[in-house]
Amino acid sequence: KTPYLSKSGKPVEAGTRGFWKDYPNINALCSQLNLLEDEVFTKFTNSSFYSPDGLEATAPVFSEATVDSILGGIPFVGGALGGVLNSIGGGAEEPFPLLPSPLGQVIATIPYFERLPVADRASMVGLLLATIDCLGGDEATQQQYDRMTA
């Protein structure tokens, strides 16, 4: 139960969320105040998402991700995927390669979902394939997806 409630009685999460890179208004404010961003902001950190059951997922800092930091801890599959991506990028400590969305996000976040059952993970494959088909397809294919209902 969330102890903080809004005036209308809805739960409110207390705390500071931080910044997504880059907020032009924050960058402009720093510039106007003659603040050096490297001196007033910390390095980016992973975001953690909790439920009443505990840690659910962690969002990595994509700009600092390496193939090894993303895939190094995944048994079996991590080594195979890492080998393929290392051959593209050049090594385990190389930056994680830029892959088409949402494929890059899906691969990069695989190890960060703590308690997501395999069946739930597998259920997203159809959506991922449809998204890649739609984004990579011609205009006629995109129009077919536009007419589909959820």
Side-chain angles (χ1 to χ4, degrees), residues 1-64:
K1 182 177 176 182
T2 304
Y4 302 104
L5 300 177
S6 68
K7 291 180 182 179
S8 64
K10 294 180 181 171
V12 176
E13 182 179 342
T16 303
R17 291 279 191 194
F19 298 103
W20 289 87
K21 187 179 183 177
D22 290 299
Y23 274 136
N25 58 336
I26 297 298
N27 296 344
L29 178 63
C30 288
S31 178
Q32 288 171 3
L33 297 174
N34 294 318
L35 299 173
L36 298 175
E37 292 177 30
D38 289 340
E39 291 181 7
V40 295
F41 296 119
T42 62
K43 290 183 69 174
F44 292 106
T45 59
N46 292 347
S47 298
S48 298
F49 302 93
Y50 290 86
S51 75
D53 296 326
L55 180 62
E56 294 291 342
T58 302
V61 178
F62 289 116
S63 66
E64 297 175 5

Side-chain angles (χ1 to χ4, degrees), residues 55-135:
L55 180 62
E56 294 291 342
T58 302
V61 178
F62 289 116
S63 66
E64 297 175 5
T66 63
V67 171
D68 192 54
S69 71
I70 296 290
L71 300 175
I74 304 174
F76 310 112
V77 178
L81 281 174
V84 170
L85 294 175
N86 282 333
S87 69
I88 295 170
E93 291 307 313
E94 290 291 318
F96 196 81
L98 297 177
L99 300 171
S101 183
L103 182 62
Q105 290 91 332
V106 168
I107 292 174
T109 58
I110 287 171
Y112 293 99
F113 286 89
E114 303 295 325
R115 289 192 306 275
L116 191 61
V118 173
D120 289 347
R121 292 173 193 250
S123 72
M124 67 87 192
V125 171
L127 177 61
L128 179 62
L129 293 174
T131 302
I132 292 169
D133 182 40
C134 178
L135 294 175

